[in-house]
Amino acid sequence: MKHTHKTCGSPEHLLHRRLFLQGTMAASAASVASFNGLFSVPALADETKRRGKKCILLWLCGAPSQFETWDPKPGTPFSGPFGAIPTNLPGVQISSLMPKCAGIMDKLAVIRSMSTEPGEHFQGIDVLTRGDKPRQPFVRPILGSVVAEQLGHLDSPVPQFILLDPCPEGNEFKGFKAGNWAGWLGAQYGPVRAGGEYSIPNLNKLDTISDIDHQDREALRSFFSKKYENDRRSQAAGSLNAAFDRVKGLMSCAPLFDLNSLPEADRQRYGAGAFAQHALQARHLIENGSTFVMVANGMPWDNHVFQHEMHQMLVPELDNVLYQLVTDLEDRGMLEDTLVIAMGEFGRSPWLNAARGRDHYPKAWSLAMAGGGIRGGVVHGATDPLGHEVAEDAVDNRQLFATIFAALGIDPHEEYDLPDLPTFSRVEDGVAPIEQLLV
């Protein structure tokens, strides 16, 4: 399907979101502007929107080791000290650090044959969150922006794309976070950031103003601004009025971001760490109307030093978070329409370096998904006995994104076209999704 640029040109598309994004990604408005509406919403996405497809991305930034998670190599020189355990899928083993996920492997889909190009963090993050490497002159939107644009509801008071990341640092991820996430879709599809010190500010009415005074002032403001809009036929005034409504909507859903409002028993089940607590909050936000929530915590998985010691702390938390999240979504009847993805930007080397760390390794690595149109109980692809190379069914970033889009009901191959400029596709070169992974 091919579409030409047909934005209406109204400033409303820009002004609303600028106010809406207060307290969010700093530079997301930098290069937004004029490419909103390049993708029209196809009938397929309309149907999916009615069904309410959603997505939670557990972003394991820094890149976890496949050997200590989904693709252990027991009995080999590169296996590490933790060994492998059986799962509820006959013949399939995963790391012994993941006993809870071993019990729900029939609900998970694991790709053991990821093979991608970038070997440095910034480039890897860019490709594995956008689906492809940069291609000028446009910036390809990140996965969350595409999902929000295709499946979200701009008239919802709940932000459709939320980043939960309390960590202001994160080495290369810090630099990436300061960039343009929404790309050609425009800032209105960028994330609202929360977590830690990132909060929605200025929610409370001044103590010196009573409720009645506040309502009267708002009624007066609304009356005069609406009159000005009508008398002058001003698009700018109309946009400003809509922006007020938008911000009021955001303020109304601010309690969704209060972790303390969630049941204590749930908070204990997920665990005390920020990543675990935000995974619970992601479930809560999805349950209450958001479409895409990305959970991150800086870049903790980049273990060039003391790999085993670090993974001994990180992997059990991931194991519990995935188990709780998938189980909760299933118990609530939400797993069928909510895709959960757990991945980083590449894998780790089979060998240890002099500092007992594993280095970057994009040639052969693993990730996991569940729900939302993905078939559970599937292990796709394989690496060789030592984990050096992909031995079966290699998957690159384009195949991965084609599969994710197809699972969510988004056309992977939709094109947009501007006069005298190159044609872009959501997934380039017609790369097909992995049918084995789709329901």
Side-chain angles (χ1 to χ4, degrees):
M1 185 179 297
K2 192 169 187 175
H3 296 280
T4 55
H5 184 195
K6 56 182 180 181
T7 177
C8 70
S10 167
E12 292 183 10
H13 291 300
L14 305 178
L15 186 55
H16 299 182
R17 194 66 178 188
R18 285 181 187 148
L19 291 179
F20 187 54
L21 284 171
Q22 285 181 352
T24 70
M25 309 298 294
S28 59
S31 59
V32 288
S34 48
F35 304 114
N36 173 43
L38 291 173
F39 288 124
S40 66
V41 179
L44 181 61
D46 281 344
E47 174 60 26
T48 303
K49 184 180 292 185
R50 284 192 288 273
R51 290 183 57 194
K53 283 284 181 82
K54 322 251 184 201
C55 183
I56 296 173
L57 172 60
L58 301 177
W59 181 243
L60 312 178
C61 200
S65 164
Q66 62 278 16
F67 298 96
E68 278 74 42
T69 53
W70 306 112
D71 194 13
K73 299 294 182 184
T76 71
F78 307 124
S79 65
F82 303 115
I85 55 174
T87 69
N88 66 353
L89 288 184
V92 175
Q93 293 186 324
I94 60 175
S95 169
S96 66
L97 296 174
M98 308 190 78
K100 291 185 176 179
C101 283
I104 59 166
M105 276 293 286
D106 58 322
K107 306 183 193 313
L108 305 180
V110 170
I111 301 177
R112 283 179 168 169
S113 53
M114 288 300 302
S115 186
T116 47
E117 291 184 7
E120 297 300 331
H121 289 293
F122 191 96
Q123 291 78 8
I125 294 167
D126 198 58
V127 167
L128 269 298
T129 55
R130 300 186 193 277
D132 217 325
K133 59 188 177 183
R135 181 183 166 199
Q136 299 300 326
F138 301 124
V139 177
R140 187 176 294 275
I142 199 169
L143 176 63
S145 297
V146 175
V147 174
E149 187 258 354
Q150 284 288 297
L151 307 182
H153 303 264
L154 270 182
D155 56 350
S156 169
V158 182
Q160 296 299 289
F161 178 13
I162 298 169
L163 168 64
L164 299 176
D165 182 1
C167 182
E169 300 301 326
N171 299 330
E172 290 90 339
F173 190 38
K174 178 182 180 181
F176 184 81
K177 284 185 284 193
N180 176 8
W181 282 36
W184 65 55
L185 293 179
Q188 61 268 48
Y189 297 107
V192 168
R193 183 174 182 178
E197 296 181 356
Y198 297 94
S199 60
I200 303 171
N202 304 322
L203 294 173
N204 297 323
K205 160 176 73 61
L206 293 175
D207 293 336
T208 54
I209 302 176
S210 69
D211 288 341
I212 293 177
D213 282 348
H214 183 73
Q215 291 170 11
D216 287 346
R217 290 184 186 195
E218 170 54 23
L220 194 62
R221 185 209 63 79
S222 179
F223 171 78
F224 280 116
S225 58
K226 191 67 181 176
K227 186 174 187 306
Y228 183 92
E229 176 188 345
N230 292 337
D231 290 349
R232 306 292 182 91
R233 297 184 179 179
S234 168
Q235 282 189 320
S239 298
L240 190 61
N241 286 329
F244 264 95
D245 292 337
R246 192 79 173 147
V247 172
K248 282 192 298 184
L250 181 58
M251 293 171 68
S252 72
C253 72
L256 292 176
F257 293 87
D258 181 8
L259 269 172
N260 294 320
S261 69
L262 298 177
E264 182 61 26
D266 285 355
R267 298 188 64 179
Q268 290 185 8
R269 276 195 299 113
Y270 275 73
F275 182 76
Q277 292 291 292
H278 287 135
L280 169 62
Q281 191 173 35
R283 187 212 75 193
H284 185 57
L285 289 163
I286 288 290
E287 200 170 15
N288 285 278
S290 189
T291 301
F292 189 100
V293 182
M294 179 175 179
V295 183
N297 190 17
M299 208 165 83
W301 293 89
D302 190 25
N303 299 158
H304 292 283
V305 176
F306 299 137
Q307 152 78 25
H308 300 326
E309 290 84 348
M310 296 299 293
H311 271 57
Q312 194 170 19
M313 294 188 293
L314 292 168
V315 178
E317 181 184 51
L318 172 64
D319 179 50
N320 183 55
V321 163
L322 256 180
Y323 172 82
Q324 301 295 347
L325 194 53
V326 170
T327 304
D328 274 2
L329 291 171
E330 184 175 48
D331 289 347
R332 286 166 165 74
M334 298 169 59
L335 186 60
E336 183 180 353
D337 288 330
T338 305
L339 173 60
V340 178
I341 308 169
M343 69 175 189
E345 61 270 36
F346 38 68
R348 310 304 298 190
S349 60
W351 52 86
L352 294 183
N353 60 30
R356 293 199 293 116
R358 295 191 192 271
D359 296 321
H360 305 171
Y361 203 71
K363 289 176 62 177
W365 55 284
S366 303
L367 60 80
M369 297 187 283
I374 291 293
R375 187 186 306 276
V378 176
V379 176
H380 181 83
T383 52
D384 65 32
L386 297 180
H388 281 188
E389 306 279 350
V390 170
E392 182 181 316
D393 295 330
V395 175
D396 64 12
N397 44 283
R398 288 182 176 178
Q399 288 173 285
L400 174 65
F401 271 64
T403 304
I404 291 171
F405 288 138
L408 292 171
I410 298 171
D411 181 358
H413 305 125
E414 190 173 10
E415 297 178 346
Y416 78 96
D417 196 9
L418 292 170
D420 303 320
L421 289 173
T423 296
F424 284 74
S425 298
R426 192 168 284 126
V427 175
E428 302 290 356
D429 293 339
V431 172
I434 305 167
E435 294 295 334
Q436 182 192 12
L437 296 179
L438 298 175
V439 174

